[in-house]
Coordinates of all heavy atoms in Angstrom, one line a residue:
V1 N -66.1 31.8 -19.5 CA -66.2 33.3 -19.3 C -65.5 34.0 -20.5 O -65.9 35.1 -20.8 CB -65.5 33.6 -18.0 CG1 -65.4 35.1 -17.8 CG2 -66.2 32.9 -16.8
Q2 N -64.5 33.4 -21.1 CA -63.8 34.1 -22.2 C -64.0 33.5 -23.6 O -64.4 34.3 -24.5 CB -62.2 34.0 -21.9 CG -61.8 34.7 -20.6 CD -60.3 34.6 -20.4 OE1 -59.5 34.5 -21.3 NE2 -59.9 34.5 -19.1
Y3 N -63.9 32.2 -23.7 CA -63.9 31.6 -25.1 C -65.3 31.6 -25.7 O -65.5 32.1 -26.8 CB -63.4 30.2 -25.0 CG -63.5 29.5 -26.4 CD1 -62.7 29.8 -27.4 CD2 -64.4 28.4 -26.5 CE1 -62.8 29.2 -28.6 CE2 -64.5 27.8 -27.8 CZ -63.7 28.2 -28.8 OH -63.8 27.5 -30.0
L4 N -66.3 31.1 -25.0 CA -67.7 31.0 -25.6 C -68.3 32.4 -25.9 O -68.8 32.5 -27.0 CB -68.6 30.3 -24.6 CG -68.3 28.8 -24.5 CD1 -69.4 28.1 -23.6 CD2 -68.3 28.1 -25.9
P5 N -68.2 33.4 -25.0 CA -68.7 34.8 -25.5 C -67.9 35.3 -26.7 O -68.5 35.9 -27.6 CB -68.4 35.6 -24.2 CG -68.4 34.7 -23.1 CD -67.8 33.5 -23.6
Q6 N -66.6 35.1 -26.7 CA -65.8 35.5 -27.9 C -66.2 34.8 -29.1 O -66.2 35.3 -30.2 CB -64.3 35.4 -27.6 CG -63.4 36.1 -28.6 CD -63.7 37.6 -28.6 OE1 -63.7 38.2 -27.6 NE2 -63.8 38.1 -29.8
L7 N -66.6 33.5 -29.0 CA -67.0 32.7 -30.1 C -68.3 33.3 -30.8 O -68.4 33.4 -32.0 CB -67.3 31.3 -29.7 CG -67.4 30.2 -30.8 CD1 -66.1 30.1 -31.6 CD2 -67.7 28.9 -30.2
V8 N -69.2 33.8 -29.9 CA -70.4 34.4 -30.4 C -70.1 35.7 -31.2 O -70.6 35.9 -32.3 CB -71.4 34.7 -29.3 CG1 -72.6 35.5 -29.8 CG2 -71.8 33.4 -28.6
L9 N -69.2 36.5 -30.6 CA -68.8 37.7 -31.2 C -68.1 37.5 -32.6 O -68.2 38.2 -33.5 CB -67.8 38.5 -30.3 CG -68.4 39.2 -29.1 CD1 -67.3 39.9 -28.3 CD2 -69.4 40.3 -29.6
S10 N -67.3 36.4 -32.6 CA -66.6 36.1 -33.9 C -67.5 35.7 -35.0 O -67.1 35.7 -36.2 CB -65.6 34.9 -33.6 OG -66.2 33.7 -33.4
V11 N -68.7 35.4 -34.7 CA -69.7 35.1 -35.8 C -70.5 36.3 -36.1 O -70.7 36.7 -37.3 CB -70.7 34.0 -35.3 CG1 -71.8 33.8 -36.3 CG2 -69.9 32.7 -35.1
V12 N -70.9 37.1 -35.1 CA -71.8 38.2 -35.2 C -71.1 39.4 -35.9 O -71.6 40.0 -36.8 CB -72.5 38.6 -33.9 CG1 -73.3 39.9 -34.1 CG2 -73.3 37.5 -33.4
V13 N -69.9 39.8 -35.3 CA -69.2 41.0 -35.7 C -68.8 41.0 -37.2 O -69.0 41.9 -37.9 CB -68.1 41.3 -34.7 CG1 -67.3 42.5 -35.3 CG2 -68.6 41.6 -33.4
P14 N -68.0 39.9 -37.6 CA -67.6 39.9 -39.0 C -68.8 40.0 -40.0 O -68.7 40.6 -41.0 CB -66.9 38.5 -39.2 CG -66.4 38.3 -37.8 CD -67.5 38.8 -36.9
A15 N -69.9 39.3 -39.7 CA -71.1 39.3 -40.5 C -71.7 40.8 -40.6 O -72.0 41.2 -41.7 CB -72.2 38.4 -40.0
A16 N -71.7 41.5 -39.5 CA -72.2 42.8 -39.5 C -71.3 43.8 -40.2 O -71.7 44.6 -41.0 CB -72.3 43.3 -38.0
V17 N -69.9 43.6 -40.1 CA -69.0 44.4 -40.8 C -69.1 44.2 -42.3 O -69.0 45.1 -43.1 CB -67.5 44.1 -40.3 CG1 -66.5 44.8 -41.2 CG2 -67.4 44.6 -38.8
L18 N -69.2 42.9 -42.7 CA -69.3 42.6 -44.1 C -70.6 43.2 -44.7 O -70.5 43.7 -45.8 CB -69.3 41.1 -44.3 CG -68.0 40.4 -44.4 CD1 -68.2 38.9 -44.4 CD2 -67.1 40.8 -45.6
A19 N -71.7 43.2 -43.9 CA -72.9 43.8 -44.4 C -72.7 45.3 -44.6 O -73.2 45.8 -45.6 CB -74.0 43.5 -43.4
R20 N -72.0 45.9 -43.7 CA -71.8 47.4 -43.9 C -70.9 47.7 -45.0 O -71.1 48.6 -45.8 CB -71.3 48.0 -42.5 CG -71.1 49.4 -42.6 CD -72.4 50.2 -42.7 NE -72.1 51.7 -42.8 CZ -72.5 52.4 -43.8 NH1 -73.1 51.9 -44.8 NH2 -72.2 53.7 -43.7
L21 N -69.8 46.9 -45.1 CA -68.8 47.1 -46.2 C -69.5 46.9 -47.6 O -69.1 47.6 -48.5 CB -67.7 46.1 -46.1 CG -66.6 46.4 -44.9 CD1 -65.6 45.3 -44.9 CD2 -66.0 47.8 -45.1
G22 N -70.5 46.0 -47.6 CA -71.1 45.8 -48.9 C -71.9 47.0 -49.4 O -72.1 47.2 -50.6
T23 N -72.3 47.9 -48.5 CA -73.0 49.1 -48.9 C -72.0 50.2 -49.3 O -72.4 51.2 -49.8 CB -73.9 49.6 -47.8 OG1 -73.1 50.0 -46.7 CG2 -74.9 48.5 -47.4
L24 N -70.7 50.0 -49.0 CA -69.7 51.1 -49.2 C -68.9 50.8 -50.4 O -68.6 51.6 -51.3 CB -68.9 51.2 -48.0 CG -69.5 51.8 -46.7 CD1 -68.6 51.6 -45.5 CD2 -69.9 53.2 -46.9
D25 N -68.3 49.5 -50.5 CA -67.3 49.2 -51.5 C -67.3 47.7 -51.8 O -66.9 46.9 -50.9 CB -65.9 49.7 -51.1 CG -64.9 49.4 -52.1 OD1 -65.2 49.4 -53.3 OD2 -63.7 49.1 -51.7
L26 N -67.7 47.3 -52.9 CA -67.8 45.9 -53.3 C -66.5 45.2 -53.3 O -66.3 44.1 -52.8 CB -68.6 45.7 -54.6 CG -68.9 44.3 -55.0 CD1 -69.8 43.6 -54.0 CD2 -69.5 44.2 -56.4
T27 N -65.5 45.9 -53.8 CA -64.1 45.3 -54.0 C -63.6 44.9 -52.6 O -63.0 43.8 -52.4 CB -63.2 46.2 -54.7 OG1 -63.7 46.6 -56.0 CG2 -61.8 45.6 -54.9
S28 N -63.7 45.9 -51.7 CA -63.2 45.6 -50.3 C -63.9 44.5 -49.6 O -63.4 43.7 -48.9 CB -63.3 46.9 -49.5 OG -62.5 47.9 -50.0
T29 N -65.2 44.5 -49.9 CA -66.1 43.4 -49.3 C -65.6 42.0 -49.8 O -65.6 41.1 -49.0 CB -67.6 43.6 -49.7 OG1 -67.9 45.0 -49.3 CG2 -68.5 42.6 -49.0
V30 N -65.3 41.9 -51.1 CA -64.9 40.7 -51.6 C -63.5 40.2 -51.0 O -63.3 39.1 -50.7 CB -64.8 40.8 -53.2 CG1 -64.1 39.5 -53.8 CG2 -66.2 40.9 -53.8
I31 N -62.6 41.2 -50.9 CA -61.3 40.9 -50.3 C -61.4 40.4 -48.9 O -60.8 39.3 -48.5 CB -60.4 42.1 -50.3 CG1 -60.0 42.5 -51.8 CG2 -59.1 41.9 -49.5 CD1 -59.3 43.8 -51.9
V32 N -62.3 41.1 -48.1 CA -62.5 40.6 -46.7 C -63.2 39.3 -46.7 O -62.8 38.4 -45.9 CB -63.3 41.7 -45.9 CG1 -63.6 41.2 -44.5 CG2 -62.5 43.0 -45.8
A33 N -64.2 39.1 -47.5 CA -64.9 37.8 -47.5 C -64.0 36.6 -47.9 O -64.2 35.5 -47.4 CB -66.1 37.9 -48.5
V34 N -63.1 36.9 -48.8 CA -62.2 35.8 -49.3 C -61.1 35.5 -48.2 O -60.8 34.3 -48.0 CB -61.5 36.2 -50.6 CG1 -60.4 35.2 -51.0 CG2 -62.6 36.2 -51.7
T35 N -60.5 36.5 -47.6 CA -59.4 36.3 -46.6 C -59.9 35.9 -45.2 O -59.2 35.3 -44.5 CB -58.6 37.6 -46.5 OG1 -59.4 38.7 -46.2 CG2 -57.9 37.9 -47.9
L36 N -61.1 36.3 -44.9 CA -61.7 36.0 -43.6 C -61.7 34.5 -43.2 O -61.2 34.2 -42.1 CB -63.1 36.6 -43.4 CG -63.5 37.0 -42.0 CD1 -62.6 38.0 -41.4 CD2 -64.9 37.7 -42.1
P37 N -62.1 33.6 -44.1 CA -62.1 32.2 -43.7 C -60.8 31.6 -43.5 O -60.6 30.5 -42.9 CB -62.8 31.5 -45.0 CG -63.6 32.6 -45.6 CD -62.8 33.9 -45.4
L38 N -59.7 32.3 -44.0 CA -58.3 31.7 -43.8 C -58.0 31.7 -42.3 O -57.2 30.8 -41.9 CB -57.3 32.6 -44.6 CG -57.4 32.6 -46.1 CD1 -56.4 33.5 -46.7 CD2 -57.2 31.2 -46.7
I39 N -58.5 32.6 -41.6 CA -58.1 32.7 -40.1 C -58.7 31.5 -39.4 O -58.0 30.8 -38.7 CB -58.6 34.0 -39.5 CG1 -57.8 35.1 -40.1 CG2 -58.4 34.0 -38.0 CD1 -58.1 36.5 -39.6
P40 N -60.0 31.1 -39.5 CA -60.5 29.9 -38.9 C -59.8 28.6 -39.4 O -59.6 27.7 -38.6 CB -62.0 29.9 -39.3 CG -62.3 31.3 -39.6 CD -61.1 31.9 -40.2

């Protein structure tokens, strides 16, 4: 009920956010893309 749905969100949401950030600011997108894998 909690873990599996959140696991799906943890894949979909960061990808969508990165895609949107890429259209706004490349530097911020790179920072997020580099630091994001540290959490997993």
Side-chain angles (χ1 to χ4, degrees):
V1 178
Q2 299 179 30
Y3 176 70
L4 289 183
Q6 190 61 50
L7 194 62
V8 175
L9 286 177
S10 70
V11 175
V12 174
V13 173
V17 171
L18 278 173
R20 180 66 180 122
L21 287 176
T23 65
L24 294 169
D25 181 31
L26 186 59
T27 304
S28 298
T29 306
V30 170
I31 293 173
V32 173
V34 169
T35 56
L36 207 55
L38 294 176
I39 294 181

